[in-house]
Amino acid sequence: MLDQLFNPSVQHVIDLVGIFVFAISGALLAVRKNFDVFGIAVLAEVTALGGGLLRDLIIGAVPPAAFSDLGYFLTPLLAALLVFFLHPEVERIQVGANIFDAAGLGLFCVAGTVRAYDYGLGLTSSAALGLATAVGGGVLRDVLANEVPSLLRWDRDLYAVPAIVGATMVALCIRYDVLNAFTSGLAVVTAFVLRLLAMRYHWRAPRAWHRRSTAIEVPE
């Protein structure tokens, strides 16, 4: 089904672009954590490939694309080298990187959902794996960097919700047999725009109703 929506060469380029921008975010966090060059490369690889690797292992697509396609492995290393030598300049274009990251989020949640469905999963499971594809690498990145994953923090702009919306739209389109290049593109754009709006207006998920937490909130 994925090959019917996108030309394989176009799909490959989309994957590499998404991998590159996710790798940039991982490498930048490694620099902020004062990691050495190896740590920067590891965090770039994990951020870029973690979600897709998890999805492929769950659906049985082995060997995963991260290991069968050299471009998938080398692209995060290129991003890591770029950040290693030019991280002050990369930091200055962080807003631009965030926009590309939002685009990658939309692309990966849609492609991940369709790929999981192609391998025989149900609609709900496919949407869940679409979400995992989009956000899994970021979760692994934060864990390796000894941080609470951004996905779980109340003080971070919505990240998982746009991916959930995009993946759910794809699942519904499959259910009603209306999935095509236009509707899948609409799902990508919806997730992308929601993420941009969340960053622009600092939309955040609500915390527990009438909570009485004793946790100390440490400002960043």
Side-chain angles (χ1 to χ4, degrees):
M1 184 179 292
L2 195 56
D3 290 342
Q4 296 173 0
L5 296 176
F6 304 105
N7 180 282
S9 60
V10 173
Q11 176 62 33
H12 192 254
V13 171
I14 290 172
D15 285 345
L16 292 181
V17 170
I19 285 170
F20 183 81
V21 296
F22 283 155
I24 289 287
S25 69
L28 285 174
L29 178 59
V31 170
R32 297 188 194 107
K33 288 287 186 175
N34 205 28
F35 288 4
D36 62 14
V37 63
F38 181 75
I40 294 172
V42 168
L43 228 57
E45 290 280 357
V46 167
T47 307
L49 303 177
L53 181 61
L54 175 65
R55 177 204 62 214
D56 287 350
L57 290 175
I58 290 175
I59 64 179
V62 292
F67 293 100
S68 60
D69 189 319
L70 190 61
Y72 283 30
F73 180 77
L74 293 180
T75 298
L77 292 182
L78 176 62
L81 284 175
L82 180 67
V83 171
F84 181 78
F85 288 108
L86 301 173
H87 65 85
E89 287 74 18
V90 175
E91 287 276 14
R92 293 192 191 102
I93 61 170
Q94 184 62 45
V95 173
N98 285 339
I99 292 175
F100 282 110
D101 182 79
L105 183 81
L107 289 166
F108 278 19
C109 73
V110 170
T113 302
V114 176
R115 184 169 175 82
Y117 185 77
D118 281 345
Y119 273 78
L121 270 66
L123 293 178
T124 301
S125 298
S126 296
L129 273 187
L131 169 64
T133 304
V135 306
V139 171
L140 293 174
R141 172 201 64 204
D142 292 342
V143 170
L144 287 178
N146 197 31
E147 290 196 348
V148 176
S150 300
L151 188 70
L152 305 178
R153 294 183 56 170
W154 71 271
D155 58 342
R156 296 296 174 89
D157 302 331
L158 293 178
Y159 193 77
V161 171
I164 292 171
V165 171
T168 301
M169 287 178 65
V170 173
L172 290 174
C173 287
I174 294 173
R175 169 66 178 80
Y176 293 104
D177 198 24
V178 292
L179 185 67
N180 51 47
F182 173 77
T183 55
S184 60
L186 182 61
V188 170
V189 171
T190 300
F192 172 63
V193 171
L194 283 176
R195 174 58 180 160
L196 291 184
L197 290 173
M199 290 190 294
R200 173 65 178 83
Y201 296 105
H202 302 296
W203 291 346
R204 292 165 184 172
R207 289 182 284 175
W209 189 255
H210 295 310
R211 73 182 186 91
R212 291 183 176 83
S213 174
T214 58
I216 299 175
E217 295 171 2
V218 182
E220 302 213 351

PDB file of all heavy atoms in Angstrom, residues 9-10 14 24 30 42 58 64 77 97 107 141 144 163 181 220:
ATOM      1  N   SER A   9      11.283   5.736  -4.845  1.00  0.00           N
ATOM      2  CA  SER A   9      12.403   6.672  -4.741  1.00  0.00           C
ATOM      3  C   SER A   9      12.014   7.910  -3.951  1.00  0.00           C
ATOM      4  O   SER A   9      12.812   8.440  -3.168  1.00  0.00           O
ATOM      5  CB  SER A   9      12.899   7.068  -6.138  1.00  0.00           C
ATOM      6  OG  SER A   9      11.867   7.702  -6.884  1.00  0.00           O
ATOM      7  N   VAL A  10      10.780   8.373  -4.113  1.00  0.00           N
ATOM      8  CA  VAL A  10      10.292   9.513  -3.343  1.00  0.00           C
ATOM      9  C   VAL A  10      10.197   9.143  -1.866  1.00  0.00           C
ATOM     10  O   VAL A  10      10.590   9.910  -0.986  1.00  0.00           O
ATOM     11  CB  VAL A  10       8.924   9.987  -3.874  1.00  0.00           C
ATOM     12  CG1 VAL A  10       8.330  11.056  -2.962  1.00  0.00           C
ATOM     13  CG2 VAL A  10       9.053  10.508  -5.297  1.00  0.00           C
ATOM     14  N   ILE A  14      12.081  10.901   1.316  1.00  0.00           N
ATOM     15  CA  ILE A  14      11.323  11.360   2.480  1.00  0.00           C
ATOM     16  C   ILE A  14      11.895  10.767   3.758  1.00  0.00           C
ATOM     17  O   ILE A  14      12.085  11.469   4.768  1.00  0.00           O
ATOM     18  CB  ILE A  14       9.834  10.998   2.335  1.00  0.00           C
ATOM     19  CG1 ILE A  14       9.180  11.835   1.228  1.00  0.00           C
ATOM     20  CG2 ILE A  14       9.092  11.204   3.659  1.00  0.00           C
ATOM     21  CD1 ILE A  14       7.772  11.410   0.887  1.00  0.00           C
ATOM     22  N   ILE A  24      19.722  15.519  13.718  1.00  0.00           N
ATOM     23  CA  ILE A  24      20.208  16.843  14.145  1.00  0.00           C
ATOM     24  C   ILE A  24      19.769  17.129  15.575  1.00  0.00           C
ATOM     25  O   ILE A  24      20.567  17.590  16.418  1.00  0.00           O
ATOM     26  CB  ILE A  24      19.681  17.947  13.202  1.00  0.00           C
ATOM     27  CG1 ILE A  24      20.375  17.870  11.837  1.00  0.00           C
ATOM     28  CG2 ILE A  24      19.873  19.330  13.822  1.00  0.00           C
ATOM     29  CD1 ILE A  24      21.800  18.338  11.812  1.00  0.00           C
ATOM     30  N   ALA A  30      23.155  16.047  22.513  1.00  0.00           N
ATOM     31  CA  ALA A  30      24.431  15.491  22.954  1.00  0.00           C
ATOM     32  C   ALA A  30      25.453  16.590  23.199  1.00  0.00           C
ATOM     33  O   ALA A  30      26.230  16.535  24.170  1.00  0.00           O
ATOM     34  CB  ALA A  30      24.955  14.506  21.905  1.00  0.00           C
ATOM     35  N   VAL A  42      26.143   8.485  18.563  1.00  0.00           N
ATOM     36  CA  VAL A  42      25.184   7.510  19.089  1.00  0.00           C
ATOM     37  C   VAL A  42      23.811   8.144  19.257  1.00  0.00           C
ATOM     38  O   VAL A  42      22.783   7.571  18.857  1.00  0.00           O
ATOM     39  CB  VAL A  42      25.670   6.927  20.431  1.00  0.00           C
ATOM     40  CG1 VAL A  42      24.553   6.148  21.122  1.00  0.00           C
ATOM     41  CG2 VAL A  42      26.869   6.014  20.206  1.00  0.00           C
ATOM     42  N   ILE A  58       8.861  -5.093  15.592  1.00  0.00           N
ATOM     43  CA  ILE A  58       7.543  -5.548  16.052  1.00  0.00           C
ATOM     44  C   ILE A  58       6.765  -6.215  14.928  1.00  0.00           C
ATOM     45  O   ILE A  58       6.127  -7.255  15.124  1.00  0.00           O
ATOM     46  CB  ILE A  58       6.744  -4.375  16.644  1.00  0.00           C
ATOM     47  CG1 ILE A  58       7.369  -3.923  17.978  1.00  0.00           C
ATOM     48  CG2 ILE A  58       5.282  -4.764  16.868  1.00  0.00           C
ATOM     49  CD1 ILE A  58       6.723  -2.702  18.585  1.00  0.00           C
ATOM     50  N   PRO A  64      15.786  -4.954   9.677  1.00  0.00           N
ATOM     51  CA  PRO A  64      15.189  -3.616   9.597  1.00  0.00           C
ATOM     52  C   PRO A  64      15.900  -2.756   8.559  1.00  0.00           C
ATOM     53  O   PRO A  64      17.085  -2.958   8.267  1.00  0.00           O
ATOM     54  CB  PRO A  64      15.404  -3.056  11.013  1.00  0.00           C
ATOM     55  CG  PRO A  64      15.550  -4.259  11.878  1.00  0.00           C
ATOM     56  CD  PRO A  64      16.252  -5.279  11.032  1.00  0.00           C
ATOM     57  N   LEU A  77      25.056   9.896  10.747  1.00  0.00           N
ATOM     58  CA  LEU A  77      26.471  10.211  10.971  1.00  0.00           C
ATOM     59  C   LEU A  77      26.840  11.538  10.306  1.00  0.00           C
ATOM     60  O   LEU A  77      27.613  12.325  10.861  1.00  0.00           O
ATOM     61  CB  LEU A  77      27.357   9.089  10.426  1.00  0.00           C
ATOM     62  CG  LEU A  77      27.278   7.747  11.157  1.00  0.00           C
ATOM     63  CD1 LEU A  77      28.252   6.757  10.527  1.00  0.00           C
ATOM     64  CD2 LEU A  77      27.569   7.915  12.644  1.00  0.00           C
ATOM     65  N   ALA A  97      15.076  24.031  12.179  1.00  0.00           N
ATOM     66  CA  ALA A  97      15.190  22.596  12.458  1.00  0.00           C
ATOM     67  C   ALA A  97      13.908  22.069  13.093  1.00  0.00           C
ATOM     68  O   ALA A  97      13.478  20.949  12.812  1.00  0.00           O
ATOM     69  CB  ALA A  97      16.389  22.330  13.367  1.00  0.00           C
ATOM     70  N   LEU A 107       5.296  12.997   8.583  1.00  0.00           N
ATOM     71  CA  LEU A 107       5.616  11.976   7.583  1.00  0.00           C
ATOM     72  C   LEU A 107       5.761  10.594   8.212  1.00  0.00           C
ATOM     73  O   LEU A 107       5.238   9.605   7.698  1.00  0.00           O
ATOM     74  CB  LEU A 107       6.912  12.357   6.863  1.00  0.00           C
ATOM     75  CG  LEU A 107       6.832  13.556   5.916  1.00  0.00           C
ATOM     76  CD1 LEU A 107       8.228  14.031   5.546  1.00  0.00           C
ATOM     77  CD2 LEU A 107       6.053  13.194   4.662  1.00  0.00           C
ATOM     78  N   ARG A 141      16.337   8.770  22.823  1.00  0.00           N
ATOM     79  CA  ARG A 141      17.338   9.838  22.949  1.00  0.00           C
ATOM     80  C   ARG A 141      17.345  10.418  24.354  1.00  0.00           C
ATOM     81  O   ARG A 141      18.404  10.547  24.989  1.00  0.00           O
ATOM     82  CB  ARG A 141      17.020  10.946  21.940  1.00  0.00           C
ATOM     83  CG  ARG A 141      17.863  12.205  22.071  1.00  0.00           C
ATOM     84  CD  ARG A 141      17.156  13.374  21.416  1.00  0.00           C
ATOM     85  NE  ARG A 141      15.905  13.691  22.101  1.00  0.00           N
ATOM     86  CZ  ARG A 141      14.883  14.324  21.537  1.00  0.00           C
ATOM     87  NH1 ARG A 141      14.943  14.666  20.262  1.00  0.00           N
ATOM     88  NH2 ARG A 141      13.797  14.589  22.232  1.00  0.00           N
ATOM     89  N   LEU A 144      18.699   7.913  27.018  1.00  0.00           N
ATOM     90  CA  LEU A 144      20.154   7.792  26.972  1.00  0.00           C
ATOM     91  C   LEU A 144      20.848   9.037  27.506  1.00  0.00           C
ATOM     92  O   LEU A 144      21.948   8.958  28.062  1.00  0.00           O
ATOM     93  CB  LEU A 144      20.618   7.520  25.539  1.00  0.00           C
ATOM     94  CG  LEU A 144      20.339   6.122  24.988  1.00  0.00           C
ATOM     95  CD1 LEU A 144      20.804   6.023  23.537  1.00  0.00           C
ATOM     96  CD2 LEU A 144      21.038   5.058  25.826  1.00  0.00           C
ATOM     97  N   ALA A 163       1.019  13.537  16.361  1.00  0.00           N
ATOM     98  CA  ALA A 163       1.308  12.252  15.724  1.00  0.00           C
ATOM     99  C   ALA A 163       0.133  11.294  15.871  1.00  0.00           C
ATOM    100  O   ALA A 163      -0.189  10.540  14.943  1.00  0.00           O
ATOM    101  CB  ALA A 163       2.574  11.639  16.325  1.00  0.00           C
ATOM    102  N   ALA A 181      -3.127   9.232  -2.103  1.00  0.00           N
ATOM    103  CA  ALA A 181      -2.054  10.219  -1.951  1.00  0.00           C
ATOM    104  C   ALA A 181      -2.583  11.512  -1.323  1.00  0.00           C
ATOM    105  O   ALA A 181      -1.899  12.149  -0.504  1.00  0.00           O
ATOM    106  CB  ALA A 181      -1.401  10.500  -3.300  1.00  0.00           C
ATOM    107  N   GLU A 220      13.871  25.201  34.099  1.00  0.00           N
ATOM    108  CA  GLU A 220      15.029  24.902  33.257  1.00  0.00           C
ATOM    109  C   GLU A 220      15.865  26.152  33.071  1.00  0.00           C
ATOM    110  O   GLU A 220      15.376  27.230  33.050  1.00  0.00           O
ATOM    111  CB  GLU A 220      14.542  24.376  31.900  1.00  0.00           C
ATOM    112  CG  GLU A 220      13.694  23.147  32.035  1.00  0.00           C
ATOM    113  CD  GLU A 220      13.884  22.205  30.861  1.00  0.00           C
ATOM    114  OE1 GLU A 220      14.537  22.592  29.891  1.00  0.00           O
ATOM    115  OE2 GLU A 220      13.380  21.091  30.929  1.00  0.00           O
TER     116      GLU A 220
END
